Amino acid sequence: MEEKRIKVLIAKPGLDGHDRGAKVIALALKEAGMEVVYSGLHKTIDQIVNMAIQEDVDVIGLSIMSGAHIPLTRKLMEKLKEKGIQDKKVFVGGVIPSKDIKLLKEMGVEGVFPGGTPIDDVIEAIKASVKK
Amino acid sequence: MDPKAQELAERIISGDETVAARVISMIEDGEEEGFLVLSTLYPRTGGAFKIGITGSPGAGKSSIIDRLAYLYGKSGKKIGIIAIDPTSVKSKGAFFGDRLRFKSAEKVEGVFIRSMAHRGFSGGISKAAFGAECVLDALGKDIIIVESVGVGQTELSIYLISDIVVTVFTPDFGDEIQLMKAGLLEIGDVVVMNKMDMPNAEEKAKDLIAYIGDLKKDAPPFIKCSAKKGEGIELLLEVLEEKRREKLGMRREKVKALLLTFIKEELSRGIEKMVEEDPKFNEILHSVQSGKIDPYSASVHFVSELLKDGKMEDYKWRRKG
Amino acid sequence: MSSARYIKNEKDQILDVILESGIHVKPVYTPKDLEEIGFSYEEDLGDPGKYPFTRGIHPLGYRSRAWTTRQYTGFGTPKETNERFKFMISHGQTGLNVAFDLPTQMGYDSDDPMAEGEVGRVGMAVDTIRDFEIAFEGIALDRIGVGLTINAVASIILAMFQAVAEKYGYDPKTVSATPQNDILKEMIGRGAWIFPVEHGVRLVGDIIEYSMKVMPKTNPVSVCGYHIRESGATPAQEIAYAFLIAFAYIDNVCKRGYDPDEFVGGITFNFNVFGNMWEQIAKFRAARKLWARLLRERYNVKKERNLFLRGIFGGGGYGLTKAQPENNIVRGAYYALVAALSGAQTTALCSYDEAYTIPTPHSALISLRTLQILMDEAGLRDTVDPLAGSYFIETLTKQMEEKILEEMEKIEKYGGIIKAVSEGYIQRMLARQAYEIERAIERGELLKVGVNIYVEGEPKEVQLHEYNEESARMQIESLREIRRTRSSSEVKRTLKELEKATRDGKNVMPYLLECCKAYCTLGEMTNVFREIFGEFQEPSLF
Ligand code: B12
Ligand SMILES: Nc1nc2c(ncn2[C@@H]2O[C@H](COP(=O)(O)OP(=O)(O)O)[C@@H](O)[C@H]2O)c(=O)[nH]1
Ligand SMILES: [Mg+2]
């Protein structure tokens, strides 16, 4: 049936090799009826932006456990701006200290989901953000 | 002509990937705007060579596409890849796994990769795949490769939207033989035995050639390759190019069949939607349920009424929002 | 965390307990259970130090030697890490386990654009042997065994280690390093892979072959069930996959014409301790027994001491929570108790700040003290394998043995571990299991204190390790200095020879050693491999 489906890119930027959380989220979003592209490990921000454009996703979700979430997210936001992309919502999950959440949101990140977040909260937030 | 659609179409023709990607989504989602753009673009398409790849999950379709795209790309061609994955019946969600495989393809200039869920469309592709091909064609791609879902027994639709179809087998092709026997498997314009690096592969290749020979008089070209080692892909490319001209001649036939397929789809969907709300339908349904009239006669009766009323016109594109 | 599932009635009485590996626990065990499983002391246990080593590999256990403590340590520059090593040793730690930063693990120099933002962040940055000179300055390498948690580029790092040991005047024959050097588990669930499977396995084989000749006290591989478990595996799968991986490495070396008895003694393991404690204890005992038996059956290994399952049994990070972080100190104590009751040779714990960032000296020291309390205060050194003979433990050990074999068989049926890893069969299964675990926690089916029972409000802030960007800058500075001052012709020459040896299929270790001595960078050496081997193709999910 033709109808709007939410399409999400779950991306692993940088050299981080943790994929348990990213895969759990990817699977959860699929089960929640979304179309999910998984980037695979070790992607550069350029590769991620390129994927997001070609796949025309509604949401870019970064999963970052390496502690490098600030520089990586900043780079993503800059790249998106440079390419004139405004319609894609950015979410960040992983090991994110609470003091960094504000900083990430100031960069334009729509939602931050550190470890321990119930999966359904992630699903709801993505659904709500795409409706907006 | 819709000015916005016109503008989007022009941007695609000038090579804007972002717009192309957006318009593909519109077509997937059934947004009217997308079809307006498509109809603007359509007369300017037809330049790209469209290659379909089919075969069981895990046969190595994506791996072959990766190598093939890399080779084509190196020779200066611009490549579009459309990888179609199944939609989960239960959740309606989908997971795109092929993109991970296109690692070397990603490295060449001008490769555009798009994953699409088949969203319940029959025949191993998504309904929007043809539209996506047109958009990529207009975007300036020389070669468009479509990877079919590869789970169905009848991957027939891939034939309608491709100029040439490659069917991929592996040395353990047991299940496919059953499908061939039952006539459920189209053998394709080119047959590839992938994973030739596996033990016993040569022997198995011989078996498969024999089977196909029994099945068809003019058996299609048979190519042995190993996507893993990158062997046999040059040959595949050569064969594809050799057959190109001959195959392009079949476009008129294919587009006719595609048109018919779409009409049937549109009709059945339109009717389904409409019928539920139609008082006459409910009346007839009641008669059937209470045993007054048999479903055969009821259906003939209902359709003739429907066509008379001109109700079909009410059915339109789903609008956004 | 309760990793087991509890079936209860309305009165909170437990009707059934189902362990992760699928075993049902009974309310009471009696001699009848032992009878049913056909338990025999001689065949199933034997005395400690006797085949099949279920009770341990040493006749006197911790009486003759307490376990080695080896907290995972490393951050920032080699200098900062060296100070932390010395801090830990001065507090009684008896071994080292080096954590490298991600650029090092992935073979990138600190000034590579790919390393941006990651230098020294989650481990020590290493570019050339100069960094090892600093990191191991003042450490008695003939007395302190050094774990090197490095995999894809283990060959390079081990060569650096040898070069430095020699430079500091140690005979390589006397130093004991343990490079992790387990590439297949990287592909299953640790993600620090670079090269395709076959080339990765070849490098593992090169290290084993080289160590047996040049550094006989070095354990060339530590096969990690640990990370597989952290990716969502059950305890039975953890052991099963680790064994199959170990066999893949053994096969590689046997193909070079060696007798297993020449090298299998150097293969060690890294296993995980979290989850239901009985299941873990039974897992370790079953693993010891099976390893000995399988080595005999499959490889005809003859020397008794080559049949020992040696390794680190370390507290798992996944069991620790972000909520109520101090509870993790208590969890760590239980994990360590399990490790001790299971006869671990070496151990370590994740610290209470596990869910936040890499440990501070404070949190690392609490972990070390936890281990010391068990050995020195609580009585865990008193007697070997204190749980032996328990109706429950022996029954469970036997059941675990069967479960492990079942899991091994599944993979062998699929076509073997190499195929299962290359095609993502295991990865897909673990991802699915990980998802189910997360959902079960949310539904309250797996209980986790502070997470889904006894929940408190907002978490308290804990004191955390802070990343110092200045360290990264200094590291890059020092790398540039080396590039300026080293002999570039020597660099070129040694790299060229490495390239040739690699292409010719020779053992790369001697060539790497020369490169290291010429101050080639890690990135330069890795690039030689990248060029020849290409990259691993990550299998797709679902
Ligand atoms: C499991 C684990 C591992 C496993 C990884 C298994 C795997 N296949 O992923 C193993 C053992 C291999 C491992 C290795 C390492 N680890 Co580790 N690991 C962990 C651990 C214990 C749990 C992480 C986890 O998987 N949790 C379960 C999943 C389901 O939760 P999650 O990932 O947090 O995801 C949740 C949310 O974050 C969110 N989410 C996640 N992604 C996304 C994406 C989007 C878009 C959204 C919306 C939400 C979202 O949703 C999920 C559900 O709530 C954490 C500590 C901890 N307890 O958190 C350390 C931890 C992440 N590891 C750490 C480190 C340093 C490493 C190493 C780099 C150590 C080293 N120097 O070698 C290595 C190397 C790995 C590599 N190549 O990068 C550090 C990171 C430090 C930091 N950030 O400052 C931690 C915090 C431990 C510590 N305190 O030192 N690790
Ligand atoms: N041995 C071998 N394995 C291959 C070859 N081509 C692909 N594969 C593996 O087969 C699996 C499936 O490949 P993929 O391209 O994703 O198949 P698809 O589902 O048909 O697209 C992957 O694990 C590939 O690594 C080949 O030529 N030889
Ligand atoms: Mg595919």
Side-chain angles (χ1 to χ4, degrees):
Chain A
M1 239 340 149
E2 287 145 1
E3 59 184 15
K4 173 72 199 148
R5 298 273 165 86
I6 298 175
K7 193 167 178 182
V8 185
L9 170 65
I10 297 295
K12 288 289 311 176
L15 303 179
D16 183 9
H18 295 86
D19 58 6
R20 182 175 183 155
K23 287 175 173 174
V24 164
I25 290 295
L27 199 47
L29 297 183
K30 180 195 167 193
E31 307 260 285
M34 299 182 202
E35 296 187 343
V36 185
V37 185
Y38 175 53
S39 73
L41 292 175
H42 314 149
K43 295 297 179 233
T44 63
I45 293 297
D46 282 346
Q47 284 174 311
I48 291 169
V49 170
N50 201 30
M51 282 185 201
I53 289 176
Q54 297 184 348
E55 298 290 353
D56 189 39
V57 294
D58 304 293
V59 171
I60 304 174
L62 299 180
S63 178
I64 310 175
M65 314 290 288
S66 66
H69 45 277
I70 297 289
L72 286 169
T73 310
R74 183 175 291 131
K75 210 163 163 189
L76 175 80
M77 301 316 282
E78 279 166 8
K79 209 67 260 152
L80 289 177
K81 207 164 168 195
E82 190 188 303
K83 296 239 170 186
I85 297 165
Q86 293 158 348
D87 58 341
K88 305 198 189 310
K89 306 281 196 272
V90 175
F91 286 80
V92 179
V95 177
I96 317 288
S98 30
K99 68 174 170 50
D100 290 343
I101 295 179
K102 197 166 149 259
L103 199 59
L104 289 169
K105 292 222 164 137
E106 279 166 11
M107 289 179 200
V109 171
E110 177 88 7
V112 181
F113 295 93
T117 312
I119 294 172
D120 288 332
D121 290 5
V122 175
I123 295 171
E124 287 318 310
I126 289 181
K127 281 188 178 160
S129 83
V130 174
K131 265 206 202 102
K132 260 202 285 199
Chain B
M1 181 131 317
D2 182 86
K4 175 135 183 261
Q6 186 70 36
E7 194 210 316
L8 294 181
E10 262 153 34
R11 280 176 64 182
I12 291 174
I13 289 163
S14 73
D16 188 329
E17 285 199 352
T18 312
V19 175
R22 189 75 267 286
V23 168
I24 293 175
S25 306
M26 289 176 180
I27 298 171
E28 276 190 293
D29 295 344
E31 284 176 35
E32 189 171 10
E33 183 89 59
F35 296 98
L36 292 176
V37 177
L38 186 59
S39 59
T40 314
L41 290 176
Y42 193 67
R44 316 199 32 181
T45 62
F49 183 37
K50 299 184 289 185
I51 303 167
I53 313 268
T54 178
S56 304
K61 298 182 293 297
S62 303
S63 311
I64 290 175
I65 292 174
D66 185 47
R67 297 280 188 173
L68 194 61
Y70 182 75
L71 276 191
Y72 264 125
K74 264 203 332 199
S75 73
K77 295 274 190 289
K78 302 259 175 293
I79 319 292
I81 299 176
I82 301 168
I84 302 164
D85 278 295
T87 295
S88 149
V89 182
K90 217 174 85 201
S91 75
K92 298 280 202 299
F95 190 89
F96 303 117
D98 299 313
R99 203 169 174 118
L100 276 181
R101 292 238 156 269
F102 304 134
K103 228 171 167 171
S104 30
E106 260 191 351
K107 285 186 194 133
V108 286
E109 268 299 299
V111 173
F112 184 105
I113 305 169
R114 177 61 179 249
S115 316
M116 295 175 96
H118 85 313
R119 299 197 183 178
F121 192 69
S122 61
I125 59 166
S126 86
K127 188 175 179 194
F130 179 75
E133 284 181 340
C134 295
V135 172
L136 293 186
D137 189 336
L139 186 66
K141 300 303 172 197
D142 306 303
I143 307 284
I144 297 171
I145 310 177
V146 181
E147 175 175 345
S148 79
V149 176
V151 287
Q153 305 175 324
T154 48
E155 299 255 304
L156 292 177
S157 306
I158 186 94
Y159 290 85
L160 305 184
I161 66 159
S162 313
D163 294 318
I164 190 163
V165 171
V166 179
T167 308
V168 182
F169 292 86
T170 63
D172 36 40
F173 56 83
D175 295 346
E176 285 88 343
I177 288 292
Q178 298 310 317
L179 298 180
M180 276 192 241
K181 278 186 185 155
L184 287 170
L185 187 79
E186 260 287 355
I187 208 66
D189 303 308
V190 178
V191 174
V192 165
M193 168 82 88
N194 186 35
K195 308 201 184 181
M196 285 304 291
D197 52 283
M198 275 170 52
N200 291 337
E202 281 299 339
E203 216 174 292
K204 294 288 185 180
K206 278 199 198 106
D207 291 351
L208 184 61
I209 292 172
Y211 270 117
I212 295 174
D214 288 347
L215 213 70
K216 272 191 148 184
K217 272 213 195 72
D218 46 346
F222 188 95
I223 295 168
K224 294 185 272 192
C225 81
S226 164
K228 186 175 164 187
K229 296 193 163 166
E231 288 164 7
I233 310 291
E234 277 106 346
L235 183 61
L236 173 61
L237 190 149
E238 259 171 51
V239 170
L240 289 170
E241 286 299 318
E242 238 166 61
K243 298 207 117 201
R244 181 181 190 143
R245 185 191 288 271
E246 169 201 337
K247 291 291 165 187
L248 289 183
M250 294 168 70
R251 278 190 174 172
R252 295 179 67 88
E253 277 305 304
K254 286 187 175 179
V255 84
K256 179 179 168 195
L258 188 68
L259 176 61
L260 278 174
T261 311
F262 284 168
I263 288 175
K264 277 186 231 160
E265 254 263 325
E266 279 303 320
L267 274 177
S268 73
R269 187 139 33 115
I271 290 168
E272 234 168 69
K273 216 173 129 199
M274 216 169 56
V275 140
E276 296 284 333
E277 301 144 17
D278 191 293
K280 197 164 275 158
F281 171 76
N282 284 308
E283 207 175 283
I284 293 178
L285 174 65
H286 187 74
S287 313
V288 175
Q289 284 170 337
S290 58
K292 278 193 205 123
I293 181 172
D294 74 279
Y296 293 103
S297 321
S299 64
V300 173
H301 175 62
F302 181 72
V303 170
S304 60
E305 289 287 306
L306 207 62
L307 293 175
K308 211 157 54 197
D309 283 3
K311 271 192 185 145
M312 288 304 289
E313 274 170 33
D314 291 351
Y315 179 67
K316 287 228 178 79
W317 305 117
R318 190 189 74 89
R319 279 175 197 280
K320 198 180 178 185
Chain C
M1 180 183 66
S2 91
S3 290
R5 282 169 199 262
Y6 290 86
I7 314 296
K8 295 181 181 172
N9 64 14
E10 326 74 69
K11 282 186 263 167
D12 196 41
Q13 290 168 324
I14 294 171
L15 307 177
D16 194 8
V17 181
I18 310 158
L19 301 179
E20 278 184 273
S21 304
I23 297 165
H24 293 256
V25 179
K26 297 177 14 175
V28 182
Y29 287 79
T30 65
K32 264 190 99 153
D33 290 289
L34 293 186
E35 225 172 89
E36 252 165 51
I37 59 168
F39 176 79
S40 130
Y41 183 83
E42 283 70 34
E43 270 178 37
D44 290 313
L45 295 186
D47 289 344
K50 289 260 162 58
Y51 186 86
F53 311 108
T54 315
R55 304 198 60 191
I57 61 173
H58 196 277
L60 295 175
Y62 298 137
R63 277 211 178 197
S64 50
R65 192 162 184 263
W67 58 21
T68 304
T69 49
R70 232 189 248 280
Q71 288 298 119
Y72 195 25
T73 310
F75 67 99
T77 60
K79 183 157 187 300
E80 289 167 297
T81 299
N82 175 265
E83 282 161 13
R84 185 69 67 83
F85 286 164
K86 289 178 175 161
F87 170 84
M88 295 305 286
I89 292 171
S90 75
H91 284 90
Q93 182 167 286
T94 48
L96 290 177
N97 183 7
V98 187
F100 296 99
D101 69 0
L102 290 172
T104 304
Q105 297 190 43
M106 293 300 297
Y108 293 111
D109 288 336
S110 297
D111 59 353
D112 193 295
M114 291 298 287
E116 207 187 314
E118 315 250 30
V119 176
R121 198 181 273 277
V122 292
M124 170 172 84
V126 173
D127 296 302
T128 67
I129 95 163
R130 170 74 42 83
D131 298 317
F132 265 26
E133 290 164 12
I134 301 166
F136 296 107
E137 183 277 317
I139 311 264
L141 295 180
D142 53 346
R143 281 191 292 116
I144 298 264
V146 180
L148 301 161
T149 299
I150 194 79
N151 295 276
V153 294
S155 55
I156 298 172
I157 292 292
L158 184 63
M160 276 192 197
F161 190 77
Q162 185 192 339
V164 164
E166 284 178 6
K167 194 152 189 168
Y168 281 139
Y170 299 101
D171 178 351
K173 294 217 159 14
T174 65
V175 300
S176 158
T178 305
Q180 197 164 76
N181 191 27
D182 172 9
I183 198 62
L184 288 171
K185 71 89 178 47
E186 293 295 329
M187 291 153 178
I188 292 178
R190 191 172 172 275
W193 38 258
I194 306 176
F195 316 117
V197 177
E198 63 269 33
H199 300 290
V201 173
R202 167 204 165 170
L203 289 176
V204 173
D206 278 6
I207 294 174
I208 300 176
E209 183 185 31
Y210 180 78
S211 303
M212 100 178 96
K213 294 177 181 163
V214 181
M215 291 193 275
K217 284 188 95 177
T218 280
N219 302 303
V221 197
S222 169
V223 183
C224 300
Y226 182 97
H227 308 80
I228 298 172
R229 173 111 171 98
E230 291 281 309
S231 300
T234 66
Q237 289 169 332
E238 171 190 2
I239 304 294
Y241 302 164
F243 283 0
L244 291 171
I245 289 173
F247 295 153
Y249 301 151
I250 294 176
D251 291 341
N252 180 284
V253 181
C254 286
K255 271 200 209 120
R256 303 174 187 217
Y258 296 94
D259 177 351
D261 259 313
E262 292 179 80
F263 66 90
V264 291
I267 292 177
T268 63
F269 291 92
N270 177 347
F271 289 130
N272 202 316
V273 192
F274 79 86
N276 180 285
M277 60 191 283
W278 315 117
E279 187 177 13
Q280 311 314 310
I281 293 169
K283 165 182 92 179
F284 291 121
R285 297 173 88 247
R288 243 187 330 254
K289 175 176 170 192
L290 267 178
W291 180 242
R293 201 179 92 203
L294 292 171
L295 280 185
R296 258 198 190 168
E297 285 174 5
R298 293 192 181 205
Y299 295 98
N300 196 20
V301 171
K302 293 189 192 70
K303 285 194 200 122
E304 282 254 309
R305 51 173 307 119
N306 285 341
L307 301 173
F308 292 172
L309 184 151
R310 292 180 301 130
I312 179 166
F313 304 167
Y318 181 73
L320 305 184
T321 60
K322 185 170 182 189
Q324 306 175 23
E326 295 90 339
N327 294 352
N328 293 330
I329 300 176
V330 182
R331 291 192 179 98
Y334 293 137
Y335 299 162
L337 174 65
V338 167
L341 290 172
S342 309
Q345 278 80 55
T346 303
T347 193
L349 290 174
C350 295
S351 299
Y352 73 85
D353 46 8
E354 170 68 11
Y356 293 83
T357 183
I358 59 172
T360 59
H362 176 69
S363 66
L365 199 52
I366 293 178
S367 296
L368 180 62
R369 293 287 180 251
T370 307
L371 303 175
Q372 292 164 336
I373 289 168
L374 281 170
M375 285 289 128
D376 297 325
E377 259 181 56
L380 269 299
R381 290 187 66 179
D382 297 359
T383 189
V384 193
D385 191 25
L387 301 181
S390 147
Y391 308 129
F392 174 40
I393 292 295
E394 297 306 353
T395 308
L396 197 57
T397 300
K398 194 106 181 190
Q399 288 170 320
M400 275 308 281
E401 198 184 317
E402 279 157 24
K403 289 287 176 195
I404 294 167
L405 286 172
E406 263 171 43
E407 296 293 347
M408 288 177 72
E409 211 173 294
K410 272 187 216 162
I411 301 300
E412 297 198 309
K413 267 215 184 105
Y414 181 82
I417 189 80
I418 301 271
K419 182 162 190 270
V421 172
S422 314
E423 294 182 359
Y425 174 68
I426 294 180
Q427 294 90 320
R428 275 190 289 278
M429 188 158 56
L430 298 188
R432 173 55 72 176
Q433 288 176 195
Y435 173 71
E436 296 301 340
I437 291 169
E438 239 38 66
R439 285 298 195 188
I441 293 172
E442 288 177 6
R443 286 193 299 263
E445 289 167 17
L446 298 175
L447 296 180
K448 215 164 176 176
V449 171
V451 173
N452 58 15
I453 35 167
Y454 316 116
V455 181
E456 292 169 15
E458 275 298 290
K460 263 180 275 169
E461 284 296 321
V462 283
Q463 187 213 337
L464 298 177
H465 166 89
E466 282 288 342
Y467 175 56
N468 181 0
E469 282 183 43
E470 184 55 19
S471 306
R473 210 191 49 72
M474 279 163 55
Q475 182 65 23
I476 291 172
E477 197 48 52
S478 122
L479 169 61
R480 298 217 164 117
E481 174 66 24
I482 289 165
R483 283 199 214 271
R484 271 197 298 275
T485 53
R486 63 185 186 174
S487 152
S488 61
S489 62
E490 263 304 276
V491 168
K492 263 198 207 116
R493 184 186 65 79
T494 53
L495 286 174
K496 188 111 212 137
E497 285 180 6
L498 173 65
E499 190 198 320
K500 185 159 184 321
T502 309
R503 283 196 201 280
D504 292 348
K506 290 196 185 142
N507 191 314
V508 295
M509 291 303 297
Y511 301 90
L512 286 172
L513 188 67
E514 290 310 307
C515 291
C516 292
K517 286 180 178 165
Y519 287 86
C520 294
T521 68
L522 169 86
E524 288 161 348
M525 292 180 264
T526 309
N527 280 343
V528 170
F529 292 156
R530 265 188 227 270
E531 198 59 35
I532 299 171
F533 297 154
E535 272 189 25
F536 174 61
Q537 265 280 3
E538 189 177 356
S540 58
L541 255 190
F542 314 116

